[in-house]
mmCIF file with all atom_site columns, all heavy atoms in Angstrom:
data_model
loop_
_atom_site.group_PDB
_atom_site.id
_atom_site.type_symbol
_atom_site.label_atom_id
_atom_site.label_alt_id
_atom_site.label_comp_id
_atom_site.label_asym_id
_atom_site.label_entity_id
_atom_site.label_seq_id
_atom_site.pdbx_PDB_ins_code
_atom_site.Cartn_x
_atom_site.Cartn_y
_atom_site.Cartn_z
_atom_site.occupancy
_atom_site.B_iso_or_equiv
_atom_site.pdbx_formal_charge
_atom_site.auth_seq_id
_atom_site.auth_comp_id
_atom_site.auth_asym_id
_atom_site.auth_atom_id
_atom_site.pdbx_PDB_model_num
ATOM 1  N N   . GLY A 1 345 ? 12.681 57.757 137.966 1.00 0.00 ? 345 GLY A N   1
ATOM 2  C CA  . GLY A 1 345 ? 12.202 57.732 136.599 1.00 0.00 ? 345 GLY A CA  1
ATOM 3  C C   . GLY A 1 345 ? 10.847 58.374 136.414 1.00 0.00 ? 345 GLY A C   1
ATOM 4  O O   . GLY A 1 345 ? 9.953  58.212 137.245 1.00 0.00 ? 345 GLY A O   1
ATOM 5  N N   . LYS A 1 346 ? 10.698 59.122 135.321 1.00 0.00 ? 346 LYS A N   1
ATOM 6  C CA  . LYS A 1 346 ? 9.375  59.614 134.935 1.00 0.00 ? 346 LYS A CA  1
ATOM 7  C C   . LYS A 1 346 ? 8.501  58.422 134.598 1.00 0.00 ? 346 LYS A C   1
ATOM 8  O O   . LYS A 1 346 ? 8.965  57.433 134.031 1.00 0.00 ? 346 LYS A O   1
ATOM 9  C CB  . LYS A 1 346 ? 9.484  60.528 133.706 1.00 0.00 ? 346 LYS A CB  1
ATOM 10 C CG  . LYS A 1 346 ? 10.331 61.770 133.923 1.00 0.00 ? 346 LYS A CG  1
ATOM 11 C CD  . LYS A 1 346 ? 9.607  62.814 134.724 1.00 0.00 ? 346 LYS A CD  1
ATOM 12 C CE  . LYS A 1 346 ? 10.428 64.088 134.834 1.00 0.00 ? 346 LYS A CE  1
ATOM 13 N NZ  . LYS A 1 346 ? 9.767  65.099 135.682 1.00 0.00 ? 346 LYS A NZ  1
ATOM 14 N N   . ARG A 1 347 ? 7.207  58.506 134.914 1.00 0.00 ? 347 ARG A N   1
ATOM 15 C CA  . ARG A 1 347 ? 6.312  57.373 134.691 1.00 0.00 ? 347 ARG A CA  1
ATOM 16 C C   . ARG A 1 347 ? 4.899  57.867 134.437 1.00 0.00 ? 347 ARG A C   1
ATOM 17 O O   . ARG A 1 347 ? 4.556  58.995 134.797 1.00 0.00 ? 347 ARG A O   1
ATOM 18 C CB  . ARG A 1 347 ? 6.340  56.454 135.911 1.00 0.00 ? 347 ARG A CB  1
ATOM 19 C CG  . ARG A 1 347 ? 5.826  57.118 137.192 1.00 0.00 ? 347 ARG A CG  1
ATOM 20 C CD  . ARG A 1 347 ? 6.414  56.526 138.450 1.00 0.00 ? 347 ARG A CD  1
ATOM 21 N NE  . ARG A 1 347 ? 7.764  56.987 138.693 1.00 0.00 ? 347 ARG A NE  1
ATOM 22 C CZ  . ARG A 1 347 ? 8.502  56.645 139.752 1.00 0.00 ? 347 ARG A CZ  1
ATOM 23 N NH1 . ARG A 1 347 ? 8.018  55.838 140.659 1.00 0.00 ? 347 ARG A NH1 1
ATOM 24 N NH2 . ARG A 1 347 ? 9.719  57.105 139.896 1.00 0.00 ? 347 ARG A NH2 1
ATOM 25 N N   . THR A 1 348 ? 4.093  57.019 133.838 1.00 0.00 ? 348 THR A N   1
ATOM 26 C CA  . THR A 1 348 ? 2.686  57.358 133.639 1.00 0.00 ? 348 THR A CA  1
ATOM 27 C C   . THR A 1 348 ? 1.954  57.287 134.973 1.00 0.00 ? 348 THR A C   1
ATOM 28 O O   . THR A 1 348 ? 2.469  56.734 135.958 1.00 0.00 ? 348 THR A O   1
ATOM 29 C CB  . THR A 1 348 ? 2.017  56.378 132.668 1.00 0.00 ? 348 THR A CB  1
ATOM 30 O OG1 . THR A 1 348 ? 2.018  55.070 133.268 1.00 0.00 ? 348 THR A OG1 1
ATOM 31 C CG2 . THR A 1 348 ? 2.738  56.330 131.334 1.00 0.00 ? 348 THR A CG2 1
ATOM 32 N N   . GLY A 1 349 ? 0.734  57.814 134.987 1.00 0.00 ? 349 GLY A N   1
ATOM 33 C CA  . GLY A 1 349 ? -0.054 57.755 136.211 1.00 0.00 ? 349 GLY A CA  1
ATOM 34 C C   . GLY A 1 349 ? -0.318 56.331 136.652 1.00 0.00 ? 349 GLY A C   1
ATOM 35 O O   . GLY A 1 349 ? -0.236 56.003 137.849 1.00 0.00 ? 349 GLY A O   1
ATOM 36 N N   . SER A 1 350 ? -0.652 55.463 135.699 1.00 0.00 ? 350 SER A N   1
ATOM 37 C CA  . SER A 1 350 ? -0.946 54.077 136.065 1.00 0.00 ? 350 SER A CA  1
ATOM 38 C C   . SER A 1 350 ? 0.303  53.382 136.597 1.00 0.00 ? 350 SER A C   1
ATOM 39 O O   . SER A 1 350 ? 0.244  52.612 137.565 1.00 0.00 ? 350 SER A O   1
ATOM 40 C CB  . SER A 1 350 ? -1.519 53.316 134.866 1.00 0.00 ? 350 SER A CB  1
ATOM 41 O OG  . SER A 1 350 ? -0.647 53.403 133.756 1.00 0.00 ? 350 SER A OG  1
ATOM 42 N N   . ALA A 1 351 ? 1.462  53.667 135.987 1.00 0.00 ? 351 ALA A N   1
ATOM 43 C CA  . ALA A 1 351 ? 2.701  53.078 136.475 1.00 0.00 ? 351 ALA A CA  1
ATOM 44 C C   . ALA A 1 351 ? 3.048  53.611 137.864 1.00 0.00 ? 351 ALA A C   1
ATOM 45 O O   . ALA A 1 351 ? 3.515  52.856 138.732 1.00 0.00 ? 351 ALA A O   1
ATOM 46 C CB  . ALA A 1 351 ? 3.840  53.374 135.505 1.00 0.00 ? 351 ALA A CB  1
#
Side-chain angles (χ1 to χ4, degrees):
K346 299 284 185 183
R347 63 207 77 178
T348 64
S350 55

